[in-house]
Amino acid sequence: MVDWNLAVATATRLVRPGPEVGRDEARAVVAELRRHAKTSERHVREFTRMMPQGLTPPDTPVLVVDRAGWVKANVEGFRELLTPLLGKMQDRRAGTPGGAVLGAVGGKITGVELGMLLSFLASRVLGQYETFAPSTLGLPGSAGGGRLLLVAPNIVHVERELEVDPHDFRLWVCLHEETHRTQFTAVPWLREHLEGEIQTFLGATEMDPMTVLERLREAVQSFAGARPDAESGDEGRSLVELVQTPEQREVLARLTAVMSLLEGHADFVMDGVGPEVVPSVAEIREKFQQRRASGAGRLDAALRKLLGLDAKLRQYRDGERFVRAVVGQVGMDGFNRIWTSPNTLPTKAEIAKPADWVARVHRKGSEQSEASEEV
């Protein structure tokens, strides 16, 4: 169904070259990123008051990679997540005439398309906590999945573009990504919960290829302006959103809320820790926000919109606003009740109205405490 090797080869061939960096400078950058990743652990845990669960903290490795290394790691992650869905689709196709041939041809087409997508993203990602990454040759992961990636050429490119202190910027990036690692090592159920939601989303995918192709065609026409449909409300939505079933949209609303929380929490932490350890944090944040908002030309903006990347930028903004408001109301310990269970995670509506989450979770907790005292 997907030629994964072709996806890697295509992305590696198409990805843009990184900034010019001498061998000695490259080694120094890699060494510094590894040091910052290590020191970020203590800063993040002290600020968030979140500690890894269990007697032995999970061994989630930190990998400093180039753009090709990021591609390979993400292909493995995609393969891990999509295997159940692709197995179902392959079984369904096996019973149709010419199914094997169509599957082979389709796998190569999908491999090329995935490779093109990854080549676009590979030059933009600064760091990433891979929640579902399996351990592979040259790309170690933890026993339960998970590894932290820092994409060195992209970090160097952005720090040069913004003209900020490179040492401060590298630590600032590490603080954000280390927050994600802390989220998953301190909240054991979070990984399984996210995986379950994603598998539910994938399981609701339309299996009829003609239906999927028709919806893709309509989506592309809508974006191209060939079929404007103001009444449908489809304008302004990404290609990913337009090919979803109603059930998938419900799951997506829950996933959007969780991702907004995780990304906003990471932004809040990196800026909260920043003044103590990153002297130029205010300058870095201001310039980085301007870069996020400006984009990089019409083609880049169109691709971002089509792929739904604009929604991710809203997740950073809305999630950070939510976290800041909740911590302001109930303090860090009160905010950390959010990690109690899936039931205490915010809904998409509560992300926009933090006071509603505080009222729901803290009122319920207070009522339970009062009932216990009465008993």
Side-chain angles (χ1 to χ4, degrees), residues 23-37:
R23 182 175 298 178
D24 290 341
E25 183 182 0
R27 288 174 178 168
V29 170
V30 170
E32 184 173 22
L33 287 173
R34 286 177 176 155
R35 289 197 306 272
H36 285 332

Side-chain angles (χ1 to χ4, degrees), residues 201 204-206 210-249 252 302 305-308 311 314:
F201 181 90
T205 299
E206 296 281 3
M210 293 307 296
T211 300
V212 175
L213 289 174
E214 177 64 19
R215 298 180 80 175
L216 284 170
R217 182 184 65 81
E218 291 176 359
V220 172
Q221 286 180 344
S222 176
F223 273 98
R227 190 183 59 81
D229 186 358
E231 294 183 0
S232 70
D234 283 349
E235 69 277 10
R237 294 189 7 225
S238 72
L239 178 61
V240 175
E241 291 174 307
L242 286 169
V243 298
Q244 289 165 8
T245 65
E247 182 181 353
Q248 285 177 309
R249 287 178 185 147
L252 184 68
K305 184 66 180 177
L306 193 65
L307 297 172
R314 289 195 299 273

